[in-house]
PDB file of all heavy atoms in Angstrom:
ATOM      1  N   ALA A  47      11.106 -14.946  -9.307  1.00 94.00           N
ATOM      2  CA  ALA A  47      11.996 -14.812 -10.477  1.00 94.00           C
ATOM      3  C   ALA A  47      11.850 -13.502 -11.228  1.00 94.00           C
ATOM      4  O   ALA A  47      12.824 -13.026 -11.696  1.00 94.00           O
ATOM      5  CB  ALA A  47      11.756 -15.960 -11.456  1.00 94.00           C
ATOM      6  N   VAL A  48      10.628 -13.027 -11.290  1.00 93.00           N
ATOM      7  CA  VAL A  48      10.400 -11.742 -12.110  1.00 93.00           C
ATOM      8  C   VAL A  48      10.604 -10.457 -11.345  1.00 93.00           C
ATOM      9  O   VAL A  48      10.876  -9.442 -11.901  1.00 93.00           O
ATOM     10  CB  VAL A  48       9.054 -11.743 -12.789  1.00 93.00           C
ATOM     11  CG1 VAL A  48       8.815 -12.871 -13.697  1.00 93.00           C
ATOM     12  CG2 VAL A  48       7.914 -11.569 -11.833  1.00 93.00           C
ATOM     13  N   VAL A  49      10.479 -10.530  -9.959  1.00 92.00           N
ATOM     14  CA  VAL A  49      10.682  -9.312  -9.237  1.00 92.00           C
ATOM     15  C   VAL A  49      12.135  -8.958  -9.074  1.00 92.00           C
ATOM     16  O   VAL A  49      12.978  -9.829  -8.708  1.00 92.00           O
ATOM     17  CB  VAL A  49      10.046  -9.467  -7.836  1.00 92.00           C
ATOM     18  CG1 VAL A  49      10.307  -8.257  -6.945  1.00 92.00           C
ATOM     19  CG2 VAL A  49       8.514  -9.592  -7.976  1.00 92.00           C
ATOM     20  N   ASP A  50      12.452  -7.714  -9.447  1.00 89.00           N
ATOM     21  CA  ASP A  50      13.878  -7.327  -9.436  1.00 89.00           C
ATOM     22  C   ASP A  50      14.025  -6.026  -8.635  1.00 89.00           C
ATOM     23  O   ASP A  50      13.549  -4.972  -9.089  1.00 89.00           O
ATOM     24  CB  ASP A  50      14.318  -7.070 -10.889  1.00 89.00           C
ATOM     25  CG  ASP A  50      15.760  -6.608 -10.991  1.00 89.00           C
ATOM     26  OD1 ASP A  50      16.367  -6.251  -9.986  1.00 89.00           O
ATOM     27  OD2 ASP A  50      16.234  -6.529 -12.135  1.00 89.00           O
ATOM     28  N   PRO A  51      14.561  -6.081  -7.422  1.00 86.00           N
ATOM     29  CA  PRO A  51      14.643  -4.901  -6.587  1.00 86.00           C
ATOM     30  C   PRO A  51      15.452  -3.794  -7.231  1.00 86.00           C
ATOM     31  O   PRO A  51      15.365  -2.618  -6.703  1.00 86.00           O
ATOM     32  CB  PRO A  51      15.368  -5.396  -5.300  1.00 86.00           C
ATOM     33  CG  PRO A  51      15.206  -6.875  -5.316  1.00 86.00           C
ATOM     34  CD  PRO A  51      15.132  -7.219  -6.772  1.00 86.00           C
ATOM     35  N   SER A  52      16.211  -3.970  -8.222  1.00 85.00           N
ATOM     36  CA  SER A  52      16.934  -2.865  -8.908  1.00 85.00           C
ATOM     37  C   SER A  52      16.025  -2.042  -9.750  1.00 85.00           C
ATOM     38  O   SER A  52      16.465  -0.970 -10.246  1.00 85.00           O
ATOM     39  CB  SER A  52      18.102  -3.434  -9.646  1.00 85.00           C
ATOM     40  OG  SER A  52      17.675  -4.107 -10.855  1.00 85.00           O
ATOM     41  N   LEU A  53      14.801  -2.518 -10.058  1.00 86.00           N
ATOM     42  CA  LEU A  53      13.876  -1.796 -10.909  1.00 86.00           C
ATOM     43  C   LEU A  53      12.890  -0.977 -10.059  1.00 86.00           C
ATOM     44  O   LEU A  53      12.666  -1.337  -8.872  1.00 86.00           O
ATOM     45  CB  LEU A  53      13.105  -2.789 -11.781  1.00 86.00           C
ATOM     46  CG  LEU A  53      13.980  -3.579 -12.812  1.00 86.00           C
ATOM     47  CD1 LEU A  53      13.102  -4.564 -13.500  1.00 86.00           C
ATOM     48  CD2 LEU A  53      14.638  -2.596 -13.768  1.00 86.00           C
ATOM     49  N   PRO A  54      12.183  -0.036 -10.651  1.00 84.00           N
ATOM     50  CA  PRO A  54      11.189   0.732  -9.927  1.00 84.00           C
ATOM     51  C   PRO A  54      10.052  -0.231  -9.445  1.00 84.00           C
ATOM     52  O   PRO A  54       9.734  -1.186 -10.117  1.00 84.00           O
ATOM     53  CB  PRO A  54      10.664   1.725 -10.944  1.00 84.00           C
ATOM     54  CG  PRO A  54      11.749   1.831 -11.949  1.00 84.00           C
ATOM     55  CD  PRO A  54      12.417   0.515 -11.971  1.00 84.00           C
ATOM     56  N   LEU A  55       9.494   0.147  -8.346  1.00 85.00           N
ATOM     57  CA  LEU A  55       8.397  -0.621  -7.705  1.00 85.00           C
ATOM     58  C   LEU A  55       7.279  -0.867  -8.770  1.00 85.00           C
ATOM     59  O   LEU A  55       6.838  -1.986  -8.909  1.00 85.00           O
ATOM     60  CB  LEU A  55       7.817   0.132  -6.542  1.00 85.00           C
ATOM     61  CG  LEU A  55       6.569  -0.502  -5.934  1.00 85.00           C
ATOM     62  CD1 LEU A  55       6.923  -1.858  -5.348  1.00 85.00           C
ATOM     63  CD2 LEU A  55       6.001   0.411  -4.851  1.00 85.00           C
ATOM     64  N   VAL A  56       6.866   0.181  -9.478  1.00 88.00           N
ATOM     65  CA  VAL A  56       5.777   0.043 -10.398  1.00 88.00           C
ATOM     66  C   VAL A  56       6.074  -0.992 -11.493  1.00 88.00           C
ATOM     67  O   VAL A  56       5.144  -1.715 -11.925  1.00 88.00           O
ATOM     68  CB  VAL A  56       5.351   1.434 -11.070  1.00 88.00           C
ATOM     69  CG1 VAL A  56       6.453   1.940 -12.020  1.00 88.00           C
ATOM     70  CG2 VAL A  56       4.060   1.381 -11.754  1.00 88.00           C
ATOM     71  N   SER A  57       7.236  -1.091 -11.883  1.00 91.00           N
ATOM     72  CA  SER A  57       7.653  -2.138 -12.923  1.00 91.00           C
ATOM     73  C   SER A  57       7.396  -3.522 -12.395  1.00 91.00           C
ATOM     74  O   SER A  57       6.932  -4.421 -13.079  1.00 91.00           O
ATOM     75  CB  SER A  57       9.111  -1.981 -13.345  1.00 91.00           C
ATOM     76  OG  SER A  57       9.349  -0.676 -13.824  1.00 91.00           O
ATOM     77  N   ASN A  58       7.823  -3.726 -11.163  1.00 91.00           N
ATOM     78  CA  ASN A  58       7.670  -5.072 -10.532  1.00 91.00           C
ATOM     79  C   ASN A  58       6.200  -5.406 -10.272  1.00 91.00           C
ATOM     80  O   ASN A  58       5.761  -6.532 -10.506  1.00 91.00           O
ATOM     81  CB  ASN A  58       8.503  -5.112  -9.257  1.00 91.00           C
ATOM     82  CG  ASN A  58      10.008  -5.216  -9.589  1.00 91.00           C
ATOM     83  OD1 ASN A  58      10.458  -6.274 -10.006  1.00 91.00           O
ATOM     84  ND2 ASN A  58      10.696  -4.168  -9.394  1.00 91.00           N
ATOM     85  N   LEU A  59       5.452  -4.416  -9.756  1.00 94.00           N
ATOM     86  CA  LEU A  59       4.037  -4.700  -9.486  1.00 94.00           C
ATOM     87  C   LEU A  59       3.322  -4.989 -10.813  1.00 94.00           C
ATOM     88  O   LEU A  59       2.409  -5.835 -10.833  1.00 94.00           O
ATOM     89  CB  LEU A  59       3.395  -3.510  -8.796  1.00 94.00           C
ATOM     90  CG  LEU A  59       3.917  -3.189  -7.353  1.00 94.00           C
ATOM     91  CD1 LEU A  59       3.156  -2.058  -6.731  1.00 94.00           C
ATOM     92  CD2 LEU A  59       3.843  -4.456  -6.476  1.00 94.00           C
ATOM     93  N   ALA A  60       3.681  -4.246 -11.872  1.00 96.00           N
ATOM     94  CA  ALA A  60       3.077  -4.502 -13.184  1.00 96.00           C
ATOM     95  C   ALA A  60       3.319  -5.955 -13.647  1.00 96.00           C
ATOM     96  O   ALA A  60       2.394  -6.640 -14.141  1.00 96.00           O
ATOM     97  CB  ALA A  60       3.548  -3.504 -14.235  1.00 96.00           C
ATOM     98  N   ASN A  61       4.552  -6.377 -13.453  1.00 96.00           N
ATOM     99  CA  ASN A  61       4.904  -7.749 -13.877  1.00 96.00           C
ATOM    100  C   ASN A  61       4.167  -8.806 -13.018  1.00 96.00           C
ATOM    101  O   ASN A  61       3.710  -9.818 -13.537  1.00 96.00           O
ATOM    102  CB  ASN A  61       6.409  -7.977 -13.797  1.00 96.00           C
ATOM    103  CG  ASN A  61       7.022  -7.698 -15.126  1.00 96.00           C
ATOM    104  OD1 ASN A  61       6.401  -7.696 -16.187  1.00 96.00           O
ATOM    105  ND2 ASN A  61       8.375  -7.502 -15.073  1.00 96.00           N
ATOM    106  N   VAL A  62       4.041  -8.566 -11.761  1.00 97.00           N
ATOM    107  CA  VAL A  62       3.277  -9.532 -10.906  1.00 97.00           C
ATOM    108  C   VAL A  62       1.799  -9.571 -11.283  1.00 97.00           C
ATOM    109  O   VAL A  62       1.237 -10.660 -11.349  1.00 97.00           O
ATOM    110  CB  VAL A  62       3.445  -9.193  -9.382  1.00 97.00           C
ATOM    111  CG1 VAL A  62       2.570 -10.088  -8.538  1.00 97.00           C
ATOM    112  CG2 VAL A  62       4.955  -9.432  -8.981  1.00 97.00           C
ATOM    113  N   ALA A  63       1.206  -8.424 -11.540  1.00 98.00           N
ATOM    114  CA  ALA A  63      -0.201  -8.419 -11.909  1.00 98.00           C
ATOM    115  C   ALA A  63      -0.346  -9.144 -13.281  1.00 98.00           C
ATOM    116  O   ALA A  63      -1.296  -9.931 -13.451  1.00 98.00           O
ATOM    117  CB  ALA A  63      -0.726  -6.977 -12.074  1.00 98.00           C
ATOM    118  N   ALA A  64       0.515  -8.837 -14.249  1.00 97.00           N
ATOM    119  CA  ALA A  64       0.458  -9.527 -15.497  1.00 97.00           C
ATOM    120  C   ALA A  64       0.680 -11.051 -15.370  1.00 97.00           C
ATOM    121  O   ALA A  64       0.003 -11.882 -16.014  1.00 97.00           O
ATOM    122  CB  ALA A  64       1.454  -8.954 -16.501  1.00 97.00           C
ATOM    123  N   LEU A  65       1.710 -11.398 -14.578  1.00 97.00           N
ATOM    124  CA  LEU A  65       1.938 -12.823 -14.351  1.00 97.00           C
ATOM    125  C   LEU A  65       0.730 -13.547 -13.928  1.00 97.00           C
ATOM    126  O   LEU A  65       0.337 -14.603 -14.526  1.00 97.00           O
ATOM    127  CB  LEU A  65       3.116 -12.953 -13.311  1.00 97.00           C
ATOM    128  CG  LEU A  65       3.348 -14.384 -12.804  1.00 97.00           C
ATOM    129  CD1 LEU A  65       3.876 -15.290 -13.924  1.00 97.00           C
ATOM    130  CD2 LEU A  65       4.344 -14.320 -11.640  1.00 97.00           C
ATOM    131  N   LEU A  66       0.078 -13.095 -12.853  1.00 97.00           N
ATOM    132  CA  LEU A  66      -1.067 -13.796 -12.317  1.00 97.00           C
ATOM    133  C   LEU A  66      -2.264 -13.735 -13.276  1.00 97.00           C
ATOM    134  O   LEU A  66      -2.940 -14.737 -13.454  1.00 97.00           O
ATOM    135  CB  LEU A  66      -1.448 -13.300 -10.903  1.00 97.00           C
ATOM    136  CG  LEU A  66      -2.456 -14.122 -10.203  1.00 97.00           C
ATOM    137  CD1 LEU A  66      -2.054 -15.615 -10.114  1.00 97.00           C
ATOM    138  CD2 LEU A  66      -2.657 -13.570  -8.786  1.00 97.00           C
ATOM    139  N   TYR A  67      -2.516 -12.591 -13.867  1.00 97.00           N
ATOM    140  CA  TYR A  67      -3.625 -12.501 -14.786  1.00 97.00           C
ATOM    141  C   TYR A  67      -3.559 -13.532 -15.900  1.00 97.00           C
ATOM    142  O   TYR A  67      -4.497 -14.258 -16.141  1.00 97.00           O
ATOM    143  CB  TYR A  67      -3.704 -11.031 -15.351  1.00 97.00           C
ATOM    144  CG  TYR A  67      -4.883 -10.845 -16.284  1.00 97.00           C
ATOM    145  CD1 TYR A  67      -6.108 -10.449 -15.774  1.00 97.00           C
ATOM    146  CD2 TYR A  67      -4.758 -11.069 -17.668  1.00 97.00           C
ATOM    147  CE1 TYR A  67      -7.191 -10.288 -16.629  1.00 97.00           C
ATOM    148  CE2 TYR A  67      -5.840 -10.872 -18.495  1.00 97.00           C
ATOM    149  CZ  TYR A  67      -7.075 -10.512 -17.986  1.00 97.00           C
ATOM    150  OH  TYR A  67      -8.106 -10.336 -18.882  1.00 97.00           O
ATOM    151  N   TRP A  68      -2.364 -13.578 -16.532  1.00 96.00           N
ATOM    152  CA  TRP A  68      -2.233 -14.494 -17.648  1.00 96.00           C
ATOM    153  C   TRP A  68      -2.116 -15.971 -17.195  1.00 96.00           C
ATOM    154  O   TRP A  68      -2.451 -16.892 -17.926  1.00 96.00           O
ATOM    155  CB  TRP A  68      -1.082 -14.044 -18.528  1.00 96.00           C
ATOM    156  CG  TRP A  68      -1.470 -12.770 -19.284  1.00 96.00           C
ATOM    157  CD1 TRP A  68      -1.078 -11.567 -19.075  1.00 96.00           C
ATOM    158  CD2 TRP A  68      -2.499 -12.699 -20.294  1.00 96.00           C
ATOM    159  NE1 TRP A  68      -1.753 -10.665 -19.882  1.00 96.00           N
ATOM    160  CE2 TRP A  68      -2.593 -11.336 -20.633  1.00 96.00           C
ATOM    161  CE3 TRP A  68      -3.285 -13.641 -20.953  1.00 96.00           C
ATOM    162  CZ2 TRP A  68      -3.478 -10.834 -21.648  1.00 96.00           C
ATOM    163  CZ3 TRP A  68      -4.217 -13.212 -21.885  1.00 96.00           C
ATOM    164  CH2 TRP A  68      -4.307 -11.822 -22.204  1.00 96.00           C
ATOM    165  N   ALA A  69      -1.592 -16.135 -16.006  1.00 96.00           N
ATOM    166  CA  ALA A  69      -1.520 -17.537 -15.472  1.00 96.00           C
ATOM    167  C   ALA A  69      -2.965 -18.037 -15.266  1.00 96.00           C
ATOM    168  O   ALA A  69      -3.202 -19.242 -15.639  1.00 96.00           O
ATOM    169  CB  ALA A  69      -0.780 -17.599 -14.174  1.00 96.00           C
ATOM    170  N   TYR A  70      -3.870 -17.177 -14.781  1.00 96.00           N
ATOM    171  CA  TYR A  70      -5.244 -17.666 -14.652  1.00 96.00           C
ATOM    172  C   TYR A  70      -5.899 -17.958 -15.994  1.00 96.00           C
ATOM    173  O   TYR A  70      -6.818 -18.731 -16.129  1.00 96.00           O
ATOM    174  CB  TYR A  70      -6.106 -16.557 -13.961  1.00 96.00           C
ATOM    175  CG  TYR A  70      -5.944 -16.529 -12.446  1.00 96.00           C
ATOM    176  CD1 TYR A  70      -5.741 -15.324 -11.802  1.00 96.00           C
ATOM    177  CD2 TYR A  70      -6.043 -17.619 -11.635  1.00 96.00           C
ATOM    178  CE1 TYR A  70      -5.606 -15.205 -10.427  1.00 96.00           C
ATOM    179  CE2 TYR A  70      -5.938 -17.570 -10.295  1.00 96.00           C
ATOM    180  CZ  TYR A  70      -5.725 -16.367  -9.694  1.00 96.00           C
ATOM    181  OH  TYR A  70      -5.610 -16.279  -8.353  1.00 96.00           O
TER     182      TYR A  70
END
Side-chain angles (χ1 to χ4, degrees):
V48 302
V49 172
D50 180 350
S52 71
L53 296 175
L55 174 65
V56 69
S57 300
N58 286 287
L59 296 180
N61 268 341
V62 172
L65 169 66
L66 190 53
Y67 182 88
W68 289 107
Y70 281 133

